[in-house]
Amino acid sequence: MNDNRINDFFYLQKMEEKIFKFKQMYHPNLIANLSKEAYDLYLIRNSIGDQILEELNKKERSIHKIKEFITSKISELESKLKGTSELYEIDLLKLNIDEWKAFL
């Protein structure tokens, strides 16, 4: 293995660990007791984690492809943000964008 492939492997492994660490933070019995804001954050993080894990499980995974996937998701959300005027939706979209950026 060359250095780039080793770096890719460790980067992707670290990303998987970050997702699983998040998923372990929330006990299934306590999710129902979260505040509205905390529950929204939980749903966003869980959705992002599931989507990234799906990408990581693809055969031809690489740092470049994962970053490209995340960047495209951020672009989609930013275009939705420009097209909405509801304050609640704006807040959710901004939170969603911030959580996606945390994976870059």
Side-chain angles (χ1 to χ4, degrees):
M1 266 192 180
N2 62 23
D3 286 342
N4 287 339
R5 293 191 72 187
I6 292 171
N7 289 338
D8 278 5
F9 174 79
F10 284 121
Y11 177 84
L12 298 173
Q13 187 70 28
K14 189 173 182 178
M15 188 174 281
E16 283 180 356
E17 288 174 12
K18 182 177 181 177
I19 293 168
F20 288 124
K21 182 179 176 185
F22 159 75
K23 288 184 177 279
Q24 290 176 347
M25 284 178 21
Y26 291 94
H27 190 278
N29 295 336
L30 299 178
I31 292 171
N33 297 330
L34 294 174
S35 69
K36 174 90 172 106
E37 294 80 16
Y39 187 72
D40 289 344
L41 183 60
Y42 162 76
L43 289 177
I44 289 169
R45 287 179 175 170
N46 196 42
S47 173
I48 291 170
D50 289 344
Q51 291 177 60
I52 292 175
L53 281 175
E54 189 176 313
E55 288 297 310
L56 289 172
N57 287 329
K58 290 184 177 177
K59 214 173 196 178
E60 297 177 16
R61 68 185 198 169
S62 70
I63 291 174
H64 176 71
K65 288 183 181 186
I66 298 297
K67 286 184 176 182
E68 193 175 90
F69 173 75
I70 293 171
T71 304
S72 73
K73 289 294 186 176
I74 292 169
S75 295
E76 285 177 30
L77 291 167
E78 287 173 339
S79 63
K80 284 182 183 179
L81 184 61
K82 291 177 185 174
T84 189
S85 59
E86 286 188 43
L87 292 176
Y88 179 71
E89 191 172 346
I90 289 171
D91 290 340
L92 279 178
L93 288 169
K94 285 181 179 179
L95 182 60
N96 215 324
I97 290 168
D98 290 341
E99 290 300 318
W100 276 105
K101 286 182 178 178
F103 279 95
L104 285 178

